Amino acid sequence: MIWFFVVLFFTLLGVAYVKGYDLVKSRSPEHLVHFYLIMATIRMLLVVTVVGLYVFFAPNREDAIHFAAIILIMYAITMVITLTLRH
């Protein structure tokens, strides 16, 4: 069940980036660099928060380590996909 929410979380982050990129590009393309840096910061803070909450409430340490590793891998994949789609 948790994996459904994790996939949904990364899907929403990816959609927010792509839609935001389109919006910023159409209104003021000179601010695309700022948009990317702000979105990267927001995504990183959200991912760290999700991992931190899971680690705090995890039933055991092994599950927490696996969850954190998978989340970080999914974060990297999301970054590559969104950058590939818009650059």
Side-chain angles (χ1 to χ4, degrees), residues 11-77:
T11 302
L12 291 175
L13 284 178
V15 169
Y17 175 78
V18 170
K19 294 298 181 184
Y21 181 92
D22 290 340
L23 181 70
V24 171
K25 188 175 181 181
S26 68
R27 294 184 182 216
S28 60
E30 66 275 3
H31 290 102
L32 280 175
V33 173
H34 299 121
F35 169 75
Y36 176 74
L37 292 174
I38 290 169
M39 277 301 292
T41 304
I42 290 169
R43 282 189 294 198
M44 183 54 87
L45 288 173
L46 287 173
V47 167
V48 168
T49 302
V50 167
V51 169
L53 287 172
Y54 188 84
V55 167
F56 185 72
F57 292 113
N60 60 36
R61 182 180 161 98
E62 187 177 313
D63 284 346
I65 291 171
H66 290 153
F67 181 80
I70 291 172
I71 290 293
L72 293 177
I73 290 168
M74 289 176 74
Y75 176 72
I77 291 170

